[in-house]
Amino acid sequence: MLLTKLSVKSDMSSDILGERRLTLREKQDRILEADIKTVLSYRAWIQAKTNNSFDSTRILGIVAVTKGSENYLPYTIPKIIQQISEIGLMADIVIGLNNGFECPAVIDHFTTLSNVQVIRLYTGEKLANNTPAKIFDNLMCKGTPYYLTNIDKPHLKHRIFVVHQQEGEHSAGKIRVLRDIYSSLLLKSIDNGWIPPKFLITFDAESQFLVEQKDSVIEPESNGLKLIVSQLQKQPEIDILGTRNIFVVYQRYIIDETEILLPNFSEPLPPIQWFMNIFYGRYNGFQTKPGGGTFGKTDVIVSLLAVISERYPGVRGEDTQLTILAKHIGFIGDIFLDVVSTNKTPSVTDIAVDNPSQKAWMEQVYRWSTAHQGLKLLYGEHNIKMMADDGFPWFTVTKPIEFWKRVMENEKINLYTIIKKLRFLAVAFFISRQIENRSRRNPDILQGNEAKAFW
């Protein structure tokens, strides 16, 4: 009799737990559906405002930057403009200087570039973490807000718009300067008659777009941007394409008497970053379109990032969230494996600035993991796993020959390298599990007053 009662009680507990899980799952599905609906609404609005007509002579580039970016921008911005020129197109680059960050020497350098017009813009006060600040063309932020217009002077070829975001309580964080750019600049400009470029690229301060040959050889002087834009032009059904993001240790160089940081492809990588370079973009669960290198139709990307930056002022994995939404909406796209975008990672020995007891590369992975946990709570693991997964990469077991073939690319196959890579794999596995357990206790808060300001 007692056993029967215990069994009934156990069954009831299981049913209650199941109902709670179902309720949570349904809530996550409703949130995802609401975000999808809003993205599609934004896109329909943009297409209606522009009469579904876009400027095919220009490419729009968006980058948000903060302290330290001055070490990359003197090289990456001119390089991107050069690559766009080689396609025969013109560039409209928007640089968001987050939360009072300034790099006057870098901006002054841009004014010396040939065929480039630099336009300085300034944000007013940001009243809440999810409220866009108005943008003006004067430091006092007086008069009518600034709106983009279509260029009608042939001699003004490329444009760099520098958005100086006012320092403030609600300003700090990449997603928050992106909110100002996508809402107050891009959407408001479209509302006022601006016809935006057909294609948009998102990138980071250190991003370089390079061609990767079939044998995994990266060409440092190649024009990967040209290759991926050509792919978009040849296949108009594609909505969005991500580059294959690769992690690289950067080192200091002097170019034209300017000290900058550039990728050193020969520098050894930390275990997890090394492992991610092998599988990124090639397997389910590792298909995030990177914030440091995503290309696509302007109406698609603007709609996605306008919604993300509007609703989630605490998100730092906006690229992962973009990928999730794009997939569920049905936007056509993929990771374009022939083009890589470089992403800075610490060296194996670097120490974290804000946590001296921890290696910097581990803290980088921890930031990714807490961002992932926040999105998992928001949309549910069942809705994000195919695009972004922090679980064990089972393809190393289910497809061992393919996996080890990639491991051994550009390396001599001998007993020493096999043992070395097996050790790296073991270290990556155990440390990633430790970081995952730690991040589960501290997921990112994406909304509300408790949402933190993340870079």
Side-chain angles (χ1 to χ4, degrees):
M1 187 69 175
L2 178 60
L3 289 175
T4 302
K5 289 183 178 179
L6 289 173
S7 176
V8 171
K9 186 175 181 181
S10 175
D11 290 342
M12 289 177 63
S13 298
S14 297
D15 290 342
I16 292 171
L17 182 60
E19 289 176 3
R20 287 176 180 171
R21 286 176 176 170
L22 182 60
T23 301
L24 175 61
R25 185 185 181 105
E26 288 178 336
K27 181 180 178 181
Q28 291 165 333
D29 289 344
R30 286 198 297 269
I31 292 171
L32 178 60
E33 289 168 6
D35 287 349
I36 288 171
K37 184 178 179 180
T38 308
V39 170
L40 291 174
S41 177
Y42 267 114
R43 191 189 188 197
W45 178 86
I46 292 171
Q47 291 181 337
K49 277 288 181 180
T50 61
N51 197 26
N52 204 20
S53 175
F54 299 91
D55 186 351
S56 60
T57 68
R58 309 185 75 82
I59 290 181
L60 178 62
I62 307 292
V63 59
V65 301
T66 189
K67 184 179 180 181
S69 300
E70 66 276 10
N71 295 311
Y72 312 99
L73 296 175
Y75 181 86
T76 55
I77 295 297
K79 187 69 174 179
I80 287 172
I81 290 175
Q82 176 193 333
Q83 290 183 326
I84 291 173
S85 294
E86 291 174 1
I87 305 174
L89 300 176
M90 295 171 282
D92 278 344
I93 305 295
V94 181
I95 304 173
L97 305 182
N98 182 230
N99 197 32
F101 166 67
E102 296 289 343
C103 49
V106 175
I107 306 305
D108 288 344
H109 170 64
F110 293 157
T111 64
T112 68
L113 300 176
S114 61
N115 297 320
V116 172
Q117 178 187 20
V118 176
I119 301 166
R120 296 173 183 267
L121 304 174
Y122 306 86
T123 70
E125 182 182 2
K126 200 173 183 70
L127 300 178
N129 62 19
N130 64 343
T131 301
K134 293 181 179 179
I135 295 177
F136 301 86
D137 61 1
N138 62 89
L139 182 59
M140 300 304 294
C141 297
K142 300 293 184 180
T144 304
Y146 180 87
Y147 302 121
L148 299 167
T149 58
N150 293 96
I151 197 164
D152 58 0
K153 298 178 181 178
H155 65 283
L156 298 177
K157 194 171 185 181
H158 307 289
R159 298 186 293 183
I160 298 176
F161 300 90
V162 183
V163 180
H164 300 260
Q165 189 194 43
Q166 185 180 134
E167 183 177 5
E169 177 186 357
H170 304 297
S171 295
K174 176 182 181 180
I175 195 65
R176 300 181 187 183
V177 73
L178 289 178
R179 173 76 167 120
D180 294 347
I181 291 171
Y182 281 93
S183 291
S184 292
L185 188 61
L186 302 188
L187 289 177
K188 291 292 186 182
S189 296
I190 291 171
D191 196 27
N192 280 269
W194 175 57
I195 301 299
K198 184 176 183 179
F199 298 126
L200 184 155
I201 64 174
T202 70
F203 61 99
D204 292 334
E206 75 268 27
S207 297
Q208 294 188 33
F209 302 116
L210 306 172
V211 176
E212 182 177 33
Q213 297 178 355
K214 297 299 182 183
D215 54 357
S216 295
V217 175
I218 296 172
E219 304 173 30
E221 299 303 319
S222 58
N223 189 343
L225 188 150
K226 179 179 181 179
L227 192 62
I228 199 167
V229 169
S230 174
Q231 186 77 0
L232 289 168
Q233 292 171 330
K234 288 188 298 186
Q235 296 183 264
E237 71 278 8
I238 295 176
D239 295 308
I240 188 168
L241 279 179
T243 53
R244 196 174 80 80
N245 189 240
I246 62 167
F247 300 99
V248 187
V249 176
Y250 280 58
Q251 73 177 52
R252 297 190 179 277
Y253 293 86
I254 303 294
I255 296 182
D256 296 331
E257 300 182 352
T258 301
E259 186 178 88
I260 57 174
L261 292 173
L262 293 175
N264 179 2
F265 295 103
S266 63
E267 179 77 15
L269 294 171
I272 293 178
Q273 285 82 347
W274 162 81
F275 189 67
M276 290 184 69
N277 275 3
I278 295 171
F279 58 69
Y280 189 95
R282 293 190 170 108
Y283 301 95
N284 287 337
F286 307 96
Q287 296 283 342
T288 293
K289 294 175 176 62
T294 290
F295 294 63
K297 295 174 181 175
T298 295
D299 58 326
V300 169
I301 297 180
V302 168
S303 300
L304 287 163
L305 286 172
V307 171
I308 292 169
S309 61
E310 172 186 318
R311 295 191 170 188
Y312 304 102
V315 72
R316 64 174 130 188
E318 83 288 341
D319 49 358
T320 302
Q321 191 168 9
L322 177 148
T323 303
I324 294 165
L325 288 173
K327 180 68 174 180
H328 284 280
I329 289 171
F331 288 143
I332 297 173
D334 206 344
I335 302 296
F336 192 61
L337 296 177
D338 294 340
V339 176
V340 300
S341 56
T342 58
N343 193 343
K344 181 178 181 291
T345 192
S347 71
V348 178
T349 57
D350 286 345
I351 302 298
V353 175
D354 54 352
N355 187 3
S357 64
Q358 190 70 275
K359 292 290 183 65
W361 68 267
M362 293 183 187
E363 284 300 289
Q364 184 181 47
V365 176
Y366 174 68
R367 291 194 296 272
W368 299 337
S369 189
T370 56
H372 180 88
Q373 295 300 329
L375 291 172
K376 186 189 290 186
L377 289 174
L378 179 70
Y379 292 141
E381 185 174 14
H382 61 290
N383 282 321
I384 75 173
K385 192 169 184 178
M386 287 295 290
M387 291 73 71
D389 186 10
D390 61 349
F392 181 76
W394 289 106
F395 60 80
T396 59
V397 176
T398 60
K399 300 179 180 179
I401 296 176
E402 181 181 342
F403 171 71
W404 282 103
K405 180 181 178 181
R406 300 212 178 273
V407 170
M408 294 304 171
E409 284 177 346
N410 298 323
E411 294 203 37
K412 294 180 179 179
I413 301 178
N414 55 47
L415 183 60
Y416 171 76
T417 56
I418 291 175
I419 292 174
K420 179 182 176 182
K421 297 308 180 185
L422 282 171
R423 179 176 176 274
F424 248 49
L425 189 59
V427 170
F429 172 74
F430 285 112
I431 291 180
S432 65
R433 298 284 67 79
Q434 292 173 0
I435 291 174
E436 181 185 353
N437 291 333
R438 179 182 161 203
S439 67
R440 282 177 177 172
R441 298 190 295 270
N442 189 33
D444 285 353
I445 298 172
L446 307 184
Q447 296 173 301
N449 294 330
E450 294 183 11
K452 297 179 181 178
F454 291 119
W455 180 248

